[in-house]
Structures are given as C-alpha cells and as structure tokens.
Amino acid sequence: MSEVSLEPTLRNLIEQTSLKWIFVGGKGGVGKTTCSCSLGIQLAKVRESVLILSTDPAHNISDAFNQKFTKKPTLINGFTNLYAMEIDPSGGVGELPDDLGEDFISAGKAMLQDMVGSFPGIDEAVSFSEVMKLVTKMNFSVVVFDTAPTGHTLRLLSFPSAVEKGIDKILNLKNQIGPFISQIAPLVGMHDINADMLSNKLEETMAIIKKVNQQFKDPTQTTFVCVCIAEFLSLYETERLIQELAKNNIDTHNIIVNQLVFLSKNEEPCKLCLSRYNLQKKYLDQIDLLYEDFHVTKLPLLEQEVRGKDNIISFSQNLVQPYQK
C-alpha cells in the first residue's frame, strides 16, 4: 500500500503545464463528454488556448454546450481561449476540413482516397494525420480529446504508427507510380501535380506524425484519463484499457468514477438510492485497492443533465474540489 494517498482530483493534470495532449476515454455512456468539457474549462483558466477535439462519431460536444461545432476549431460561446472541434477519423479523407490550404489533400481528395485505399486502415490514419497537422499548425497550448468508446480509442492511439508505416510504403512505391501520376494528372485536370510534389508532402506529413508519435509516448506531454462508473462491466473495460495503454507506452495516472450516489447525512435515503450506494461502494473499494497509485476522482450522479455552459462550468469544479453533498 502507498503511504501517501494521492489527491482525488485532476489538479495534477491542470497544473502540469508541459502536457500537450490529454485523452479522455472509457466505455460508452459513462460521461466522457461531460468530463472532457469540464476538464477543458478548468484548463482554460490556466492555459493560453485550449481545444476540445471530439473523435466520437456521436459528437456530443455540440449537445453539451448547446452550440453547433464543425470540422474546424470554433470558439465556444462565453470563452476567449476555449475552442471545440468535431471530427470522425473513421470517415477517412472525406471527413477532413475543406480548407487544409496547401496540403497534399487539396491535390485531389479522390485520387488520394483511391491511393491510400489499397493500404488497410491508412485512409483513417491519413485523415487523423491531417487533423493533427491542422491542430499542430494552430498551436494550441493543450488539446483535450473526447474519444469514442474504448475500441475506437485504442485504434486512434495506434494511428500515428500506422501512418508512419503507410507513408513509408507509399514513398517506396514512388518510382513505380511516379510516371503514372505524371501521365494521368493532366487528364483529370491537375496539371501541377507530380510524384515529387506528392512525395514531398508525404514526407512533410511523416515528419509531423513522427513528432506526434513521440509526443504521445512522452508522459510529460501526453496522458490518458480513464472515465468509468462503479459497475462490473465498466471496471472490467477500464482495466483492459489501462493494460492496452501500458502496451502502447501511453501514460495514465488518473481515473474518474462518474455517476456516483452520494448519501445526504441529514436525510433518510430511499430504498433504490441505498441499494445503488451499497453496490457502488463495493466496486469503489475494488477501484481503491486496484489503483492505489492513481488519482481517483469521484463525481456525483445529479438530478438533472449537465448541459449548457453554466451547468458545465459549475460541474467542472468537482474536478478540482472533491464533491461533498
């Protein structure tokens, strides 16, 4: 047992100014989006610029803030340094923002899509790499990823490595496909495209992705926050996620246990509340035993949804100040 119990908040992340990428993930339906938005709000108090980036196809950030977000970073109403963006990496190249400027994507999305389509998973990976390039160019102080349920998240974290391998394959084919590109490009109206230009852009992408890959595996720059609820399946999924993160050399030392029933000292609890409390206490005891070297933050189950800027701001206080009823 550790002699000193770790603070049950996310203060350690908020105060770690070297962090550039924070992933928030877990099983579906545990409240990842609420936690991501709350964390973004707390970070915005101490960081120059913060981006909440949703990679969940369900895109709940728009619902949480009652504001429509798109594939481009958009300032959240009521803030001066907090932005949000929603993108679906599984949508491939077609999901990319339309104005990636001089990127090789603009050399013809359809042609690129066909080209990368021959490498399984590379379409998603290239999409992710282009988002990373866009985010890196905008130079946010920190990016909070509101991720899809666990399986998608693990794929997302392996994308930088997949991109490196995929681009290596494409660059190795350069000599074979170069003459073909030079001949076919004018026929489809792309007179300024040639193999050298494509390979230069791919190499530029490769450099950024290598940098992102290194940062993802650097605990001073990247960490993962696991969100769960005090139930068997969620606890099982959290353990699986933590083991996979360890295999991928990705740091994690924070767990949020959400939707907990807190009993009031002055009121007699109803039968259902008492039953839920006792059930959750059993799993909380297991979490405390299993993850004694983690910061475990306990968040309440509220009577109403946490929606709208003001409600999220109020709820976000529970990340830095342990909740008490």
Side-chain angles (χ1 to χ4, degrees), residues 5 24 32 89 95 101 134 185 193 232 253 255 275 287 294 302 322:
S5 61
V24 179
K32 294 184 296 295
E95 260 292 307
L134 179 69
I193 302 299
F232 172 76
H253 47 267
I255 293 173
S275 173
I287 288 168
F294 279 67
L302 300 180

Side-chain angles (χ1 to χ4, degrees), residues 237-303:
E237 191 94 341
T238 301
E239 177 58 24
R240 188 171 76 92
L241 177 58
I242 288 170
Q243 287 181 12
E244 286 295 327
L245 291 170
K247 279 184 202 170
N248 284 281
N249 298 313
I250 291 168
D251 173 74
T252 178
H253 47 267
N254 283 81
I255 293 173
I256 294 175
V257 189
N258 198 14
Q259 301 174 17
L260 290 172
V261 174
F262 284 79
L263 298 182
S264 175
K265 293 174 184 174
N266 305 321
E267 293 176 22
E268 188 70 28
C270 70
K271 190 176 177 183
L272 176 63
C273 292
L274 188 60
S275 173
R276 293 295 301 170
Y277 174 82
N278 289 330
L279 178 69
Q280 290 180 343
K281 188 176 185 308
K282 180 178 80 169
Y283 289 112
L284 277 176
D285 289 343
Q286 288 184 28
I287 288 168
D288 289 337
L289 193 65
L290 276 170
Y291 305 114
E292 60 182 7
D293 52 348
F294 279 67
H295 294 264
V296 179
T297 306
K298 297 168 184 176
L299 300 182
L301 175 67
L302 300 180
E303 293 174 11

Side-chain angles (χ1 to χ4, degrees), residues 3-4 15 49 106 115 142 205 221 228 287 300 308:
E3 292 179 15
V4 181
E15 292 170 0
S49 58
S106 58
M115 192 160 98
V142 61
T205 300
Q221 297 191 65
C228 66
I287 288 168

Side-chain angles (χ1 to χ4, degrees), residues 149-321:
T150 310
H152 296 280
T153 303
L154 296 174
R155 288 182 68 199
L156 179 72
L157 293 169
S158 68
F159 277 173
S161 300
V163 172
E164 278 194 51
K165 290 174 187 170
I167 291 178
D168 263 342
K169 285 182 182 178
I170 293 171
L171 287 173
N172 290 336
L173 289 173
K174 176 188 162 186
N175 293 332
Q176 296 172 41
I177 65 172
F180 168 73
I181 291 173
S182 301
Q183 289 175 26
I184 205 74
L187 299 177
V188 292
M190 295 187 289
H191 297 277
D192 55 344
I193 302 299
N194 58 56
D196 285 333
M197 178 191 148
L198 276 175
S199 66
N200 288 341
K201 290 296 181 184
L202 286 168
E203 281 164 5
E204 179 193 324
T205 300
M206 182 78 140
I208 290 173
I209 290 306
K210 274 189 172 172
K211 183 181 171 188
V212 168
N213 207 6
Q214 286 168 356
Q215 288 179 353
F216 276 12
K217 294 179 179 180
D218 179 354
T220 65
Q221 297 191 65
T222 301
T223 194
F224 199 105
V225 179
C226 301
V227 184
C228 66
I229 55 177
E231 291 180 5
F232 172 76
L233 284 177
S234 184
L235 187 56
Y236 173 79
E237 191 94 341
T238 301
E239 177 58 24
R240 188 171 76 92
L241 177 58
I242 288 170
Q243 287 181 12
E244 286 295 327
L245 291 170
K247 279 184 202 170
N248 284 281
N249 298 313
I250 291 168
D251 173 74
T252 178
H253 47 267
N254 283 81
I255 293 173
I256 294 175
V257 189
N258 198 14
Q259 301 174 17
L260 290 172
V261 174
F262 284 79
L263 298 182
S264 175
K265 293 174 184 174
N266 305 321
E267 293 176 22
E268 188 70 28
C270 70
K271 190 176 177 183
L272 176 63
C273 292
L274 188 60
S275 173
R276 293 295 301 170
Y277 174 82
N278 289 330
L279 178 69
Q280 290 180 343
K281 188 176 185 308
K282 180 178 80 169
Y283 289 112
L284 277 176
D285 289 343
Q286 288 184 28
I287 288 168
D288 289 337
L289 193 65
L290 276 170
Y291 305 114
E292 60 182 7
D293 52 348
F294 279 67
H295 294 264
V296 179
T297 306
K298 297 168 184 176
L299 300 182
L301 175 67
L302 300 180
E303 293 174 11
Q304 70 285 334
E305 284 184 301
V306 183
R307 281 189 70 188
K309 176 176 71 79
D310 294 338
N311 286 333
I312 298 173
I313 289 173
S314 173
F315 187 77
S316 74
Q317 283 299 118
N318 298 320
L319 298 184
V320 293
Q321 192 72 38

